[in-house]
Amino acid sequence: MRDAVVPLSPFYRLVLAYAKPADRPRYGLLFALDARFADIIRSTTEILIGQMRLTWWRDILTKSAADRPTGEPLVENINRLEEHGEKLEPLLTLLDGWEGMLDDFPWDDRQFDSYADARGPGFFQFALADRKSLSAQQAEQARAWALWDFARHCSDAAMRQSAFDRCAAIVRAVPPADFDRSGRPLSILCKLMRRDVKQGQLTADLYSPASAARIIWHGVTGR
């Protein structure tokens, strides 16, 4: 099965390089689809329009392959992965998390929790091919990752700090999660997240030479 023919940022292309060859199409689709959802939220000026665009993707994920439109590389890769037995349900959970992003700022505890509980576990569960339920530690790291990624991309200073503080609270309370070789891209993301929490600030550029060196070292050694 060939890799997903969809564009990825240089950062995610580097992370993808450390997925097992058999897992790369799945990770490639996950990274690209997550980025597509982010683009929808980023470009939405009217909530109704954003909801309609996300609903289109929800329909894609719930329809049979025969009923999906053609000509969209992401849809073609969804079809291909589904043909090879991949389960799409975690992507619907991921989408739930992104849909919550349409809520106006500032958020209360419930909104932060709903977002983190959906986007993080949905992302991690699909990455691991839905083979088994996430462990308690993996689920908490998934929630923390979602909050960390939110903070990294949020333009609202108060919301950014609130998300990072919530991420840090989880990271400090829960030991690092264990991932097997199939979860190496996730362990890379978690390692970068935990480094930011330890330093007490968000890394501005995850594709800097220093960050890339850390990614390569962990990608090769697992340490």
Side-chain angles (χ1 to χ4, degrees):
M1 183 171 21
R2 61 193 176 96
D3 289 354
V5 287
V6 288
L8 294 176
S9 70
F11 168 72
Y12 274 109
R13 286 204 301 271
L14 179 58
V15 174
L16 181 63
Y18 296 100
K20 293 171 65 176
D23 294 335
R24 285 176 191 158
R26 185 175 67 258
Y27 275 103
L29 172 65
L30 174 63
F31 294 163
L33 193 59
D34 193 62
R36 181 67 63 87
F37 295 160
D39 286 342
I40 290 173
I41 298 300
R42 190 179 300 114
S43 63
T44 291
T45 56
E46 297 183 22
I47 292 177
L48 181 59
I49 299 300
Q51 289 174 332
M52 291 173 61
R53 294 174 70 188
L54 292 177
T55 296
W56 187 86
W57 279 105
R58 190 176 297 280
D59 288 344
I60 292 298
L61 293 171
T62 53
K63 286 179 178 178
S64 67
D67 293 329
R68 293 173 185 145
T70 59
E72 161 61 69
L74 278 174
V75 174
E76 293 173 3
N77 279 275
I78 288 170
N79 293 343
R80 190 175 298 111
L81 285 171
E82 195 172 37
E83 287 173 5
H84 285 79
E86 300 286 359
K87 304 299 183 183
L88 303 182
E89 286 80 3
L91 294 178
L92 291 168
T93 305
L94 174 70
L95 181 56
D96 288 340
W98 278 110
E99 196 164 25
M101 291 283 288
L102 292 171
D103 288 351
D104 290 334
F105 295 168
W107 284 3
D108 57 23
D109 290 343
R110 177 192 60 80
Q111 289 166 302
F112 271 115
D113 287 344
S114 294
Y115 159 79
D117 290 345
R119 186 182 172 210
F123 188 100
F124 278 44
Q125 192 73 66
F126 187 76
L128 297 175
D130 200 30
R131 296 187 187 93
K132 57 183 179 180
S133 298
L134 298 176
S135 70
Q137 289 180 351
Q138 288 173 341
E140 285 301 288
Q141 294 298 294
R143 295 180 64 250
W145 169 82
L147 292 163
W148 173 71
D149 196 68
F150 176 106
R152 287 190 57 250
H153 295 95
C154 183
S155 60
D156 183 285
M159 285 285 287
R160 180 169 60 247
Q161 189 61 52
S162 183
F164 188 52
D165 289 346
R166 292 164 189 270
C167 163
I170 296 171
V171 168
R172 291 177 182 132
V174 180
D178 291 326
F179 294 97
D180 63 18
R181 183 64 183 81
S182 293
R184 184 60 53 81
L186 298 181
S187 67
I188 290 173
L189 297 177
C190 288
K191 194 169 186 68
L192 294 172
M193 171 187 70
R194 297 184 76 89
R195 181 196 62 183
D196 279 2
V197 169
K198 183 178 180 179
Q199 294 178 341
Q201 61 183 6
L202 294 161
T203 300
D205 182 8
L206 292 179
Y207 197 62
S208 68
S211 290
R214 291 187 180 94
I215 292 170
I216 293 168
W217 174 252
H218 182 73
V220 171
T221 67
R223 298 195 297 270

